[in-house]
Amino acid sequence: MSEEQAGARQGILALTIKDKNALYAAYMPTIRNGGLFIPTTRSYGLGDEVFMLLQLMDEPERIPISGRVVWITPKGAAGFRSAGVGVQFNEEDAGVTKALIESYLSGHLESDQPTHTM
């Protein structure tokens, strides 16, 4: 792995979600402990540990979350999907972020609208 690739795996992923539609499209409810799709052109591998800062709609502060990459949508993917990674929240989060997201999405989780990963 080159130094550039190693540097790309480090660093913080930031995601700002301002409305329910964007949150619904990014949320990955079928992932144990929850997860989010984060658009990025950085190169990651499955299982890579990442750290993200989530700015979620009405929350006054960014939410720091550690996780690992469980989904990759490469640049140029079929169906004009956004390049990025799906990050599963770590066990240390204890479901707190998942519960917060699901409270925002109350009544929308059963929707059949497409998301970034499905």
Side-chain angles (χ1 to χ4, degrees):
M1 168 178 0
S2 73
E3 281 185 54
E4 183 178 351
Q5 288 172 320
R9 289 201 162 101
Q10 297 173 10
I12 298 171
L13 291 167
L15 182 62
T16 299
I17 297 179
K18 297 182 179 184
D19 62 56
K20 283 186 182 182
N21 290 333
L23 181 57
Y24 174 81
Y27 185 49
M28 302 173 76
T30 59
I31 303 296
R32 184 176 43 100
N33 208 33
L36 285 171
F37 179 83
I38 303 172
T40 183
T41 56
R42 292 182 187 170
S43 177
Y44 290 93
L46 290 174
D48 283 355
E49 296 290 324
V50 296
F51 183 78
M52 66 182 122
L53 288 173
L54 173 63
Q55 181 66 52
L56 191 58
M57 299 192 301
D58 299 331
E59 297 302 310
E61 296 184 20
R62 289 182 175 197
I63 303 165
I65 308 166
S66 294
R68 68 182 177 93
V69 175
V70 294
W71 178 282
I72 299 172
T73 301
K75 186 177 179 181
F80 302 103
R81 294 200 174 267
S82 297
V85 293
V87 177
Q88 177 184 30
F89 305 144
N90 277 353
E91 296 295 326
E92 291 83 24
D93 186 61
V96 172
T97 305
K98 179 179 182 171
L100 178 63
I101 290 170
E102 289 183 354
S103 71
Y104 275 109
L105 292 177
S106 178
H108 289 83
L109 287 173
E110 302 304 319
S111 174
D112 55 355
Q113 292 179 328
T115 67
H116 289 297
T117 57
M118 297 291 175

